[in-house]
């Protein structure tokens, strides 16, 4: 049976080969589980494995510098022990933490049954067996969905290489080196890269808990190939294979286990004179993969951040995209709580408030970085010539920053950016949306701008943001900006409908109602649509008072702003300027009447399908029909539209509604 599985793993039929390989991995897993349970079924069913390399290290949690020293140790290759788990100390320190010996002298011990099985497997694993398996790995997949780094291949090889390390296999490490070199060849074909990534990933992973001597021996063979690929061998076709290789090597591991790779990636620096955009961006993407997998244990971030922030205005789109996402990943993984113990953690939360301390507060360093970046953007904005069609530092740097913000606002640490919404982000985003010559910048800025009201605020934390929206909506000299903030007003009102205090809700209503008197038609129409939605979704108690107040306000505004009556000869009784141009007073009256009509229309349209309609609606419709239906231009047109829409939405219930 064992021979059948081992030989079947290199069967010529791909379906059978996959089935036999799965069975062989299951056998390896069973042997490992039996060995780590010390060949005792009780240990197996109670989940008490014995791993010789695993130890428990006492933490120095009473030392205030302990967390700083702990993190600093990940910036050096030397280690007394490896900390693979990322949870110890992130929130709270325990008395001890699990770790693994850096140079274990003993390995898992096999009994006679397990050793016999492994020798039976190893007897068939000759150099020819590995050569055949590697060649199958290098074959072109039958379908596009299989053209990826196959984790099952890597896991099978990890088990197979452990048989070699244990001395039970017919093949030797020299054979594996030779076959790996042969399969990779000159690296000109993407299938060579896929096979090499799977083989090298498995080979390096298989030595994780082995002696330092063996690990050094394997790394001396594997790392030069990896370094060569990362330096000059990456292409759009093979980049995903090596990203998955990194994931296999780094996910849930101590960075010092793969120090040569981590160090080489962190030493990357941007070359502004390079024309090889993909080469630059692919290296940044690998660095991003490294940061994401290692989390807060990655401690080589400062030089990378400094380099990226100095080159935000990189000319190539692919590089900017990779930089923006990587900047967000670097900042995301800097955060940790690290309380001394559980008691301290609980006490601090109780002292802060009934719901504890707000997490993800920006550090002083991060706050300074954000302010410096946006000050530089503002400087670049002033240096850019209005109407410039060619890329500038402002447009290029703005896109990088927007990609950074988009990635951060889409993740769990989004609340870290809340303090920057009112004064730092809003104005700059609106300026970017006004750059008509760069549609990509406009689109990104609008996308990030729409993120802002969706970010959760704590109670009372949204007052500055709302004040900023109101300020822009009422004071901005650019009508596009006044129109755009209406969208965010509407979203934050709906999002926080049950959390906003009555005062904040009233401020938003007053602002939107006031914007009905805006000099720009588009802003007035947007304000009417926003007001209608806000009225519809308001709590019943507030809505009743609000409708009464707004109805009285707009009705009074309409009645007190009559247009000048025309004389029998057809001329207005008001003094004429001698031309057909309306006087300022006439324009003001038209604007006031249009605002009143739109306001009353917004109240009516807030209940499009209520049958029968609320009792106050007939009076509003009567006022509109009697007082403004015959107005010329946009006022009369708006009245007719409101009246016709009212009837259209009630065609099915019109006879009932008439009563």
């Amino acid at each position: 049976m064992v021979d059948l599985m081992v030989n079947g793993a290199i069967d010529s039929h791909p379906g059978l080969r996959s089935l036999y390989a799965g069975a062989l991995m299951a056998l390896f897993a069973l042997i490992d589980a039996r060995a780590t349970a010390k060949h005792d079924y009780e240990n197996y069913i109670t989940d008490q494995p014995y791993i010789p390399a695993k130890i428990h290290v006492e933490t120095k949690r009473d030392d205030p510098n302990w967390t700083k020293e702990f993190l600093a140790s990940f910036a050096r290759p030397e280690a007394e022990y490896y900390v693979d788990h990322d949870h110890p100390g992130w929130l709270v320190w325990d008395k001890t933490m699990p770790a693994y010996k850096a140079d274990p002298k003993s390995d898992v011990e096999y009994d006679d049954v397990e050793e016999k099985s492994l020798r039976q497997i190893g007897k068939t694993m000759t150099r020819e067996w590995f050569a055949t398996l590697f060649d199958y790995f290098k074959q072109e997949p039958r379908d596009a969905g299989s053209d990826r780094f196959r984790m099952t291949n890597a896991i099978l090889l990890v088990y197979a290489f452990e048989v070699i390390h244990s001395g039970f296999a017919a093949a030797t490490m020299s054979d594996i080196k030779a076959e790996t070199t042969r399969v990779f060849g000159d690296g000109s074909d993407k299938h060579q890269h896929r096979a090499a990534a799977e083989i090298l990933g498995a080979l390096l992973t298989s030595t994780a808990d082995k002696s330092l001597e063996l690990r050094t021996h394997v790394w001396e063979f594997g790392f030069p190939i990896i370094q060569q690929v990362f330096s000059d061998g990456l292409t759009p076709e093979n980049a995903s294979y090596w990203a998955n290789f990194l994931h296999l090597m780094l996910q849930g591991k101590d960075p010092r286990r793969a120090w040569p790779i981590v160090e080489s990636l962190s030493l990357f620096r941007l070359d502004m004179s390079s024309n090889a955009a993909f080469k630059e961006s692919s290296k940044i993407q690998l660095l991003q993969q490294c940061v994401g997998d290692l989390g807060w244990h990655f401690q080589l971030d400062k030089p990378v951040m400094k380099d990226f922030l100095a080159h935000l205005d990189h000319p190539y789109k692919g590089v900017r995209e990779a930089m923006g996402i990587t900047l967000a990943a670097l900042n995301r993984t800097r955060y940790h709580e690290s309380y001394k113990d559980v008691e301290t953690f609980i006490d601090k939360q109780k002292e802060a408030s009934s719901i504890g301390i707000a997490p993800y507060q920006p550090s002083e360093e991060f706050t300074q970085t954000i302010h410096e970046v946006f000050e530089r953007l503002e400087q670049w904005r002033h240096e850019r010539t209005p109407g410039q069609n060619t890329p500038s530092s402002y447009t290029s740097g703005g896109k990088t920053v927007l990609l950074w913000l988009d990635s951060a606002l889409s993740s769990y640490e989004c609340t870290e950016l809340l303090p920057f919404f009112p004064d730092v982000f809003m104005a700059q985003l609106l300026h970017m949306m006004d750059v008509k010559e760069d549609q990509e910048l406009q689109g990104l800025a609008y996308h990030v701008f729409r993120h802002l009201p969706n970010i959760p605020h704590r109670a009372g934390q949204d007052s500055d943001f709302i004040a900023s929206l109101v300020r822009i909506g009422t004071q901005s000299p650019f009508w596009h900006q006044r129109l755009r903030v209406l969208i965010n007003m509407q979203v934050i009102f709906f999002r926080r409908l049950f959390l906003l205090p009555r005062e904040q809700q009233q401020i938003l209503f007053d602002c939107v109602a006031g914007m009905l008197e805006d000099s720009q038609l588009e802003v007035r129409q947007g304000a009417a649509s926003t007001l209608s939605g806000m009225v519809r979704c308001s709590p019943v108690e507030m809505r009743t008072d609000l409708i009464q107040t707004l109805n009285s306000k707009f009705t009074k505004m309409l009645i007190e702003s009559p247009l000048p009556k025309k004389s029998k000869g057809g001329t207005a009784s008001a003094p004429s300027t001698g031309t057909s141009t309306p006087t300022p007073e006439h324009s003001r009256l038209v604007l006031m009447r249009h605002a009143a009509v739109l306001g009353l229309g917004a109240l009516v349209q807030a209940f499009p399908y209520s049958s029968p309609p609320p009792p106050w609606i007939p009076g509003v419709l009567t006022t509109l029909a009697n007082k403004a239906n015959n107005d010329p231009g946009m006022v009369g047109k708006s009245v007719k539209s409101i009246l016709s829409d009212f009837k259209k939405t009630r065609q099915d219930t019109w006879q009932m509604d008439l009563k």
Side-chain angles (χ1 to χ4, degrees):
M1 181 64 75
V2 170
D3 289 344
L4 178 65
M5 286 189 286
V6 178
N7 288 318
I10 57 170
D11 193 279
S12 58
H13 190 285
L16 288 174
R17 190 164 65 244
S18 177
L19 291 171
Y20 282 125
L24 184 57
M25 284 190 285
L27 178 60
F28 275 128
L30 185 60
I31 292 171
D32 269 9
R34 193 174 186 275
T36 54
K38 288 189 173 181
H39 336 294
D40 186 342
Y41 194 64
E42 182 180 347
N43 290 337
Y44 176 71
I45 62 174
T46 55
D47 193 23
Q48 294 181 1
Y50 169 69
I51 303 171
K54 189 172 183 178
I55 57 175
H56 281 83
V57 178
E58 186 176 348
T59 61
K60 303 175 184 176
R61 59 183 185 173
D62 292 323
D63 182 354
N65 295 319
W66 162 243
T67 303
K68 187 176 180 181
E69 293 170 2
F70 171 76
L71 289 174
S73 67
F74 293 110
R76 302 184 297 270
E78 304 82 15
E80 296 179 28
Y81 48 80
Y82 294 133
V83 183
D84 288 340
H85 309 283
D86 61 358
H87 63 82
W90 187 89
L91 181 63
V92 173
W93 284 108
D94 199 357
K95 292 179 181 178
T96 62
M97 63 180 176
Y100 298 85
K101 296 176 184 176
D103 187 14
K105 303 301 181 184
S106 59
D107 203 349
V108 175
E109 296 180 359
Y110 300 105
D111 65 2
D112 294 341
V113 175
E114 296 150 5
E115 186 172 329
K116 182 180 178 182
S117 299
L118 289 172
R119 289 191 182 278
Q120 180 74 14
I121 294 170
K123 181 180 66 175
T124 313
M125 287 184 169
T126 60
R127 176 171 179 170
E128 291 71 25
W129 186 89
F130 279 102
T132 307
L133 185 66
F134 289 0
D135 286 338
Y136 282 133
F137 285 2
K138 195 173 69 170
Q139 280 184 353
E140 184 174 352
R142 289 177 296 169
D143 56 89
S146 301
D147 187 13
R148 52 186 169 76
F149 184 98
R150 294 152 297 189
M151 196 62 72
T152 51
N153 289 352
I155 294 171
L156 175 63
L157 284 179
V158 169
Y159 284 127
F161 292 149
E162 285 182 348
V163 176
I164 294 177
H165 301 326
S166 301
F168 299 141
T172 64
M173 187 51 63
S174 299
D175 297 335
I176 299 301
K177 290 180 182 178
E179 289 302 321
T180 302
T181 305
R182 178 186 65 82
V183 166
F184 185 63
D186 59 0
S188 59
D189 183 71
K190 70 172 184 176
H191 305 301
Q192 293 174 326
H193 280 269
R194 187 185 61 249
E198 293 168 351
I199 295 166
L200 288 171
L203 184 59
L204 296 172
T205 301
S206 68
T207 64
D209 290 323
K210 306 300 179 185
S211 66
L212 180 61
E213 182 182 356
L214 177 59
R215 288 207 311 275
T216 304
H217 178 67
V218 171
W219 274 92
E220 285 176 350
F221 163 72
F223 181 64
I225 301 174
I226 298 165
Q227 193 173 32
Q228 176 193 344
V229 171
F230 287 2
S231 297
D232 300 305
L234 291 172
T235 66
E237 292 180 324
N238 66 38
S240 64
Y241 308 146
W242 291 103
N244 281 289
F245 159 82
L246 272 183
H247 185 66
L248 174 66
M249 293 296 302
L250 302 176
Q251 176 65 30
K253 306 278 179 59
D254 190 307
R256 293 165 295 189
R257 286 191 183 276
W259 183 258
I261 293 176
V262 174
E263 184 182 37
S264 66
L265 290 174
S266 63
L267 288 174
F268 169 76
R269 297 293 179 268
L270 286 164
D271 182 4
M272 295 294 279
S273 62
S274 172
N275 293 322
F278 176 78
K279 183 178 177 182
E280 297 274 288
S281 64
S282 60
K283 289 179 181 178
I284 300 174
Q285 287 167 354
L286 291 178
L287 176 60
Q288 176 201 334
Q289 182 75 46
C290 175
V291 173
D293 285 336
L294 294 176
W296 71 309
H297 287 176
F298 180 79
Q299 291 296 310
L300 302 174
D301 56 298
K302 292 191 183 302
V304 177
M305 285 280 288
K306 183 178 179 182
D307 182 53
F308 285 2
L309 292 173
H311 301 99
L312 290 172
D313 56 337
H314 198 283
Y316 291 110
K317 178 182 178 181
V319 177
R320 290 196 302 268
E321 289 176 350
M323 281 171 59
I325 297 171
T326 305
L327 281 168
L330 283 166
N331 178 63
R332 182 179 304 128
T333 54
R334 298 309 92 197
Y335 184 82
H336 58 91
E337 298 274 355
S338 303
Y339 287 93
K340 184 180 75 169
D341 50 37
V342 175
E343 291 76 14
T344 304
F345 169 70
I346 293 175
D347 290 342
K348 291 289 186 183
Q349 306 309 309
K350 287 180 178 178
E351 289 172 10
S353 70
S354 60
I355 56 174
I357 297 173
Y360 292 100
Q361 294 297 306
S363 64
E364 290 184 13
E365 183 181 2
F366 179 69
T367 301
Q368 183 180 353
T369 299
I370 290 291
H371 281 290
E372 287 176 356
V373 166
F374 276 82
E375 285 169 7
R376 202 181 331 159
L377 281 176
E378 182 65 11
Q379 180 184 343
W380 284 338
R381 185 174 74 86
H382 289 294
E383 291 173 356
R384 176 180 176 272
T385 305
Q388 180 179 338
N389 289 309
T390 55
S392 64
S393 292
Y394 177 62
T395 55
S396 298
K399 291 172 192 175
T400 307
V401 173
L402 289 172
L403 289 162
W404 174 8
L405 294 180
D406 182 36
S407 181
L409 291 169
S410 303
S411 185
Y412 51 82
E413 83 281 8
C414 56
T415 55
E416 190 174 23
L417 298 171
L418 287 176
F420 310 110
F421 284 10
D423 302 319
V424 181
F425 291 171
M426 290 281 290
Q428 198 59 248
L429 290 175
L430 289 166
H431 284 312
M432 290 178 186
M433 283 188 272
D434 286 335
V435 181
K436 299 176 183 178
E437 296 78 22
D438 195 325
Q439 292 186 352
E440 183 189 358
L441 180 67
Q442 275 188 314
L444 279 171
Y446 184 70
H447 178 67
V448 172
F449 186 71
R450 291 295 303 272
H451 264 307
L452 303 186
N454 289 305
I455 305 304
H457 295 68
R458 279 197 164 198
Q461 202 176 13
D462 46 20
S463 56
D464 289 342
F465 182 49
I466 290 174
S468 175
L469 291 172
V470 170
R471 184 178 67 251
I472 294 169
T474 55
Q475 299 178 14
S476 174
F478 307 106
W479 72 266
H480 288 100
Q481 296 185 0
R482 300 196 300 272
L483 178 62
R484 286 171 183 139
V485 294
L486 281 168
I487 300 166
N488 281 2
M489 286 183 191
Q490 189 170 352
V491 174
I492 199 167
F493 182 83
F494 296 154
R495 279 277 186 182
R496 302 185 60 77
L497 188 60
F498 304 107
L499 299 172
L500 279 177
R502 184 70 177 265
E503 296 76 17
Q504 294 290 336
Q505 292 178 335
Q506 192 61 50
I507 288 172
L508 285 172
F509 270 113
D510 292 344
C511 176
V512 175
M515 291 175 73
L516 289 170
E517 302 174 33
D518 195 276
S519 59
Q520 190 70 30
L521 174 62
E522 289 85 351
V523 177
R524 295 199 297 273
Q525 292 173 336
S529 176
T530 301
L531 182 63
S532 178
M534 289 169 68
V535 169
R536 183 185 308 127
C537 294
S538 297
V540 175
E541 182 183 350
M542 179 183 181
R543 186 168 63 198
T544 304
D545 295 339
L546 191 67
I547 290 172
Q548 186 176 355
T549 303
L550 292 176
N551 189 359
S552 301
K553 174 185 175 181
F554 294 132
T555 301
K556 183 180 179 182
M557 186 187 299
L558 186 61
I559 294 172
E560 293 181 353
S561 305
L563 288 176
K565 293 182 179 180
K566 293 184 178 181
S567 63
K568 292 182 180 180
T571 59
S573 58
S576 173
T577 59
T579 66
S580 59
T581 305
T583 63
E585 177 63 17
H586 185 271
S587 299
R588 185 189 70 80
L589 290 172
V590 170
L591 179 59
M592 295 293 286
R593 291 179 69 79
H594 194 222
V597 166
L598 289 176
L600 292 172
L603 297 180
V604 173
Q605 290 165 353
F607 306 93
Y609 305 112
S610 298
S611 181
W616 52 267
I617 281 188
V620 172
L621 295 175
T622 303
T623 301
L624 288 171
N626 291 338
K627 300 295 184 183
N629 191 41
N630 294 324
D631 279 28
M634 58 187 174
V635 179
K637 185 178 178 182
S638 296
V639 173
K640 292 178 176 63
S641 175
I642 292 164
L643 295 174
S644 64
D645 287 346
F646 177 79
K647 186 171 182 180
K648 282 178 187 176
T649 55
R650 288 174 167 76
Q651 283 183 348
D652 295 340
T653 60
W654 185 245
Q655 295 303 321
M656 185 187 304
D657 293 345
L658 281 176
K659 299 176 183 178

